[in-house]
Amino acid sequence: MSVEQDGLAVQAADGHRWQLYACSPERPVAALLWLPALGVGARHYLPFAQALAAHGVASFLHEWRGAGSSHLRAGRDCNWGYRELLELDIPASAEAMRRQLPDLPVVVGGHSLGGQLACCYLATAPQAAHGIWLVGSGAPWWRAFPRRHRLMLRLAYRLLPWLADRNGALPGRRLGFGGREARGVMRDWSGTALTGRYAASGLGLDLEAGMARIDAPIHAIVPAADWYAPESSLRYLLAKMPLAQARVDTMDAAALGTRADHFAWMKRPDAVAARLSLGLPRLRSRAD
């Protein structure tokens, strides 16, 4: 197994540059493009990529614009939204992965917001992957959460974009939510959270209609105590893709070998990697 600690240099059409970190076994059987959670650098998923390599999966860890190895940082004079992520950045990482491993079945997946945008990406490019993997991911719509959280969420969904506008970017590190996030990202995110519908300002595509046409099989892992993305929010996200056959595995602390929350699995990812890898035979048959 080899790990590219420095990654592959990738550049989007508008000049944005980042590193696509890669971890591949000697004889990979599938290639995964993995999208991180909001504000989480790609390097934090290297243990997960190494665990997947033990099952024959070559993982390519995308970097969000403004995070980690990205050469941009959000501010008053530097802004973007979902459009740039879906139209420019994710396709560039996907193309770099295809150049490295052109003949393998492809999975697109992600953690938290990354899982949501993996689905949105396939809504724009339905032939880009043979399957979708989600971990700790679900739509942020406030009504998709347990009733006890709804009022707090509605307030947060209005407050966070306002803070981003006032500060030029969301000061996520100080708030304990995300990183330094662009105003446009927070507006697009809060739009979904308040309305229940996915849209990207300026994209020119109906993401909801595109998601309804996705037929790639989905395998989703739900940490049992994850209140950021409870199973109800995942089920709401999956309902937008009725043609896709979905498998949902809820894993408690005993099954995960660590706390069953939103982030703990990233440091001890072996159980998640093993569970997701159970679907590899089906993935390969779909690609043939």
Side-chain angles (χ1 to χ4, degrees), residues 165-187:
D165 284 338
R166 180 167 182 174
N167 289 277
L170 182 75
R173 294 285 181 261
R174 285 186 291 175
L175 297 171
F177 177 80
R180 185 170 180 80
E181 308 299 341
R183 302 186 304 280
V185 168
M186 297 314 300
R187 283 196 292 269

Side-chain angles (χ1 to χ4, degrees), residues 12-43:
D14 67 347
H16 171 223
R17 303 184 305 276
W18 66 98
Q19 297 290 313
L20 180 66
Y21 298 107
C23 178
S24 180
E26 290 185 7
R27 295 183 177 86
V29 299
L32 167 68
L33 179 62
W34 188 255
L35 311 183
L38 183 72
V40 179
R43 281 182 178 272

